[in-house]
């Protein structure tokens, strides 16, 4: 074998992404007996190495049997592209197990540019006649009902009980929703499956709050679509792709870079920049991969024009772009007509970047809660740490508010958590930071970048740059401010949020025991949250309700009632958290 062919082959622990429709089709073709064995088959394949040879990934099931996933273009898009050499193929367990073990393929990549006609199809829905509001089609209503049934089944079972079969049912519903013209609902449903898989595999990227959020959004969309009309329906449907529109010439200044590592098997880096008016733009490089790609993507050349700047370099330098195309979220396109050359950067404390930190924190939070950019540009003084269930938080004084700063990711290959621990030792240091807002009843955000604690004019991207103890000041820069850490008593809505999270994780059974709300409901009422108490009572009642037939045998529980009760509680808790978040920041 030639050296070229040999170098093309490599051992990989990552399988290629598989389209949701492919996984759903392969699982649906299994017999009832094989469906019961599917989870065991997925676990077995997960422990087997995968060898990549060009566009094909081969998994050795045993000494004589291999499963192949053919992924031209990077993902598996048809059931025929998953092949097995066992005697039962193509109706074997191995093909469905391989598809269920692989990451879920995202929709086709967004185009770099878009014509006006493309915009009309993908991004600009026709304006409905005000006298005849647009309603969901029968196909969309049927797809929404199927999605609700599948999502309610996942909620009923919880993460531990939502094996590959229930996941495939939700993926099938997502595929049906996409075909019916409901791309937003479809994408949210896929995110639910991704979060469930991350929970079941103990992925460091998993967050229970993420699962609750995606499951809430999926059930909410499925519930509202049959009744929505006009602008509400347009928003619920979403768009297949974001249109990139011409934005002329741009002069951009690098702010910071952050690694991307998702539970769905995608990794890379995103570099944030700002123009002379303070508008934010992103340059991204995200593709299928693991932690290695998330770490290495920062040293890849950015995909804008023909510049040789890497993401790490751009975060501290500048860019002059002509013929720029920009998506509605600020992502820069990389079309053939885009030209870009390196330009000088700017310090955070110099124009034009300095203006980002002059906006009051309350105004920035209000913007984020209303759907704008969720990045916060803050001046803080480091105080110390506070212990939480998910790990230590870095405490900082921000305009007399005690801010909790958390790590963006816990994967050991990324330095987020280690940097947070070291910064906690720099008590009294006054720094400018960039953080991402986390809605909570107290000021809370994810730390993304900060000024170096001892080298003025130097930035630290907390997900890419690793601080050392030698980087810390030898003594506190000034007396550390006093930290008044809020206690749970100040935000009793957590009594409801905790039950919502328990249900998403443990399923209906976790809330089915009687007497669980005896103390919580009165406590919520004493703090003026009587509605929260009523929702908590209904959630437990729906979980515990089981009727019997004429022979005294238990009948199946009503998943629809439990799903409705859970959705009402989850939406209420989310809105109260946002209101408390705005109040805590003075927004």
């Amino acid at each position: 074998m030639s050296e070229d062919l040999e170098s093309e082959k490599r051992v990989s622990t990552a399988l290629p992404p598989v389209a949701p429709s492919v996984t759903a089709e392969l699982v649906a073709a299994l017999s009832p007996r094989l469906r019961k064995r599917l989870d065991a088959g997925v676990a077995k394949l997960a422990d087997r190495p995968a060898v990549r040879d060009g566009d094909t990934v081969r998994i050795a099931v045993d000494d004589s049997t291999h499963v192949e996933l053919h992924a031209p273009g990077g993902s598996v898009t048809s059931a025929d592209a998953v092949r097995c050499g066992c005697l039962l193929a193509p109706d074997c367990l191995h093909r469905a197990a391989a598809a269920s073990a692989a990451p879920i393929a995202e929709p086709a990549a967004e185009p770099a540019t878009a014509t006006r006609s493309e915009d009309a199809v993908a991004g600009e829905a026709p304006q409905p006649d005000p006298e005849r509001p647009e309603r969901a089609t029968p196909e969309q209503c049927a797809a929404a009902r199927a999605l609700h049934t599948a999502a309610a089944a996942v909620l009923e079972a919880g993460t531990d009980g939502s094996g590959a079969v229930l996941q495939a049912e939700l993926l099938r519903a997502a595929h049906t929703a996409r075909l019916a013209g409901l791309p937003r609902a479809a994408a949210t449903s896929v995110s639910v499956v991704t979060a469930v898989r991350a929970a079941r595999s103990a992925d460091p990227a998993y967050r229970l709050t993420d699962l609750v959020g995606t499951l809430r959004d999926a059930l909410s969309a499925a519930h509202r679509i049959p009744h929505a009309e006009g602008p509400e329906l347009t928003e619920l449907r979403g768009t297949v792709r974001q249109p990139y529109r011409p934005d002329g010439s741009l002069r951009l200044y690098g702010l910071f870079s952050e690694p991307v590592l998702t539970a769905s098997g995608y990794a890379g880096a995103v570099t944030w920049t700002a123009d002379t008016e303070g508008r934010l733009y992103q340059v991204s490089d995200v593709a299928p991969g693991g932690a290695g790609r998330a770490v290495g993507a920062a040293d890849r050349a950015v995909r804008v024009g023909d510049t040789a700047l890497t993401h790490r370099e751009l975060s501290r330098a500048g860019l002059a772009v002509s013929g720029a195309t920009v998506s509605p979220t600020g992502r820069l396109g990389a079309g053939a007509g885009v030209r870009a050359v390196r330009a000088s950067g700017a310090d955070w404390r110099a124009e034009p970047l300095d203006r980002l930190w002059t906006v009051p924190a309350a105004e920035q939070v209000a913007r984020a809660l209303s759907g704008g950019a969720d990045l916060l540009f803050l001046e803080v003084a480091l105080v110390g740490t506070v212990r939480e269930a998910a790990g230590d938080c870095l405490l900082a004084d921000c305009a007399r508010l005690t801010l909790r700063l958390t790590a963006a990711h816990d994967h050991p290959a990324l330095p987020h958590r280690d940097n947070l621990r070291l910064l906690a030792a720099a008590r009294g240091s006054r720094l400018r930071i960039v953080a991402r807002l986390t809605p909570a009843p107290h000021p809370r955000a994810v730390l993304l970048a900060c000024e170096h604690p001892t080298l003025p004019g130097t930035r630290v991207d907390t997900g890419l740059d690793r601080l050392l103890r030698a980087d810390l000041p030898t003594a506190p820069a000034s007396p550390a401010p006093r930290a008044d850490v809020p206690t749970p008593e100040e935000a009793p809505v957590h009594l409801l949020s905790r039950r919502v999270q328990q249900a998403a994780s443990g399923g209906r059974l976790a809330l089915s025991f009687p007497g669980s709300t005896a103390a919580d409901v009165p406590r919520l009422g004493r703090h003026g949250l009587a509605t929260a108490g009523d929702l908590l009572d209904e959630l437990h009642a729906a979980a515990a309700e089981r009727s019997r037939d004429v022979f005294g045998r238990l009948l199946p529980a009503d998943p629809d009632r439990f799903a409705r009760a859970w959705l009402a509680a989850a939406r209420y808790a989310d809105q109260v958290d946002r209101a408390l978040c705005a109040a805590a920041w003075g927004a």
Side-chain angles (χ1 to χ4, degrees), residues 70-95:
H70 187 55
S75 61
V76 178
T77 57
S78 70
D80 293 338
V82 184
R83 300 183 287 267
C84 180
C86 75
L87 296 177
L88 295 179
D91 300 322
C92 63
L93 177 70
H94 304 134
R95 297 173 69 222

Side-chain angles (χ1 to χ4, degrees), residues 506-582:
R508 182 187 59 80
L509 186 62
L511 302 184
S512 62
F513 302 104
S516 302
T517 64
D520 293 345
V521 172
R523 183 178 171 188
L524 288 166
R526 288 195 300 271
H527 285 83
L529 295 172
T531 301
D534 293 341
L535 291 170
L536 186 57
D537 256 346
E538 170 60 15
L539 182 59
H540 278 274
E545 181 186 47
R546 293 292 298 275
S547 56
R548 297 179 181 270
D549 62 13
V550 293
F551 299 104
R553 296 172 299 193
L554 281 173
L555 295 174
D558 181 3
D560 286 339
R561 180 189 175 187
F562 181 62
R564 289 194 301 270
W566 183 89
L567 177 59
R571 286 182 61 87
Y572 176 89
D574 176 63
Q575 292 302 315
V576 172
D577 273 346
R578 289 178 174 273
L580 291 175
C581 175

Side-chain angles (χ1 to χ4, degrees), residues 116-317:
R116 293 302 301 171
S117 60
E118 289 171 337
D119 288 347
V121 174
E124 298 178 354
Q127 295 297 319
D129 184 347
E131 297 183 0
R132 298 184 58 185
E134 187 180 14
R135 302 293 300 269
T137 65
E139 292 78 10
Q140 290 173 337
C141 291
R145 288 191 294 269
L147 194 156
H148 189 278
T149 299
V154 169
L155 175 64
E156 174 88 4
T159 55
D160 290 341
S162 296
V165 174
L166 283 182
Q167 295 171 25
E169 290 299 325
L170 188 50
L171 290 178
R172 177 181 291 278
H175 179 61
T176 302
R178 184 170 295 279
L179 293 180
L182 301 172
R184 180 177 178 182
T188 305
S189 302
V190 170
S191 296
V192 172
V193 177
T194 298
V196 168
R197 289 184 178 182
R200 292 172 61 86
S201 63
D203 192 310
Y206 171 69
R207 295 288 187 276
L208 179 55
T209 52
D210 293 342
L211 172 61
V212 170
T214 55
L215 188 55
R216 180 192 66 230
D217 291 345
L219 285 170
S220 182
H223 173 72
R224 284 299 309 157
I225 285 172
H227 313 287
E229 58 184 35
E232 182 188 8
L233 178 61
T234 300
E235 182 180 358
L236 288 171
R237 282 189 310 208
T239 57
V240 176
R241 55 179 64 182
Q242 292 184 348
Y244 282 71
R245 298 178 179 176
D247 203 16
S249 298
L250 296 173
R251 177 64 169 91
L252 304 176
Y253 298 84
L255 278 167
F256 72 98
S257 288
E258 61 174 322
V260 175
L261 181 58
T262 71
S264 58
Y266 287 79
V270 174
T271 298
W272 291 81
T273 65
D275 67 6
T276 55
E277 302 299 322
R279 291 187 295 262
L280 300 180
Y281 297 84
Q282 314 143 46
V283 180
S284 64
D285 179 7
V286 179
R293 193 179 195 284
V295 174
D299 295 313
R300 295 173 180 265
V302 298
R303 296 179 177 178
V304 178
D306 53 0
T307 178
L309 273 175
T310 66
H311 284 268
R312 194 185 301 272
E313 292 170 337
L314 176 58
S315 68
R316 291 155 174 82

Side-chain angles (χ1 to χ4, degrees), residues 313-393:
E313 292 170 337
L314 176 58
S315 68
R316 291 155 174 82
L319 204 63
V321 185
S322 62
T325 57
V326 184
S327 76
T329 59
R331 183 180 299 177
L332 289 174
V338 179
R339 298 288 181 268
V341 296
R342 179 172 186 157
S344 60
D347 186 82
W348 280 0
R349 295 184 179 271
E351 288 294 339
L353 300 184
D354 177 71
R355 69 181 62 189
L356 295 172
W357 278 267
T358 62
V359 180
E363 186 176 328
Q364 297 185 51
V365 170
R367 176 193 63 204
L369 292 176
S370 62
D374 58 358
L375 294 184
L376 304 180
F377 302 88
L378 307 172
E379 298 254 12
V380 302
L382 303 183
V383 175
T385 59
V386 63
R387 186 170 298 277
E388 294 184 341
D392 290 348
C393 283

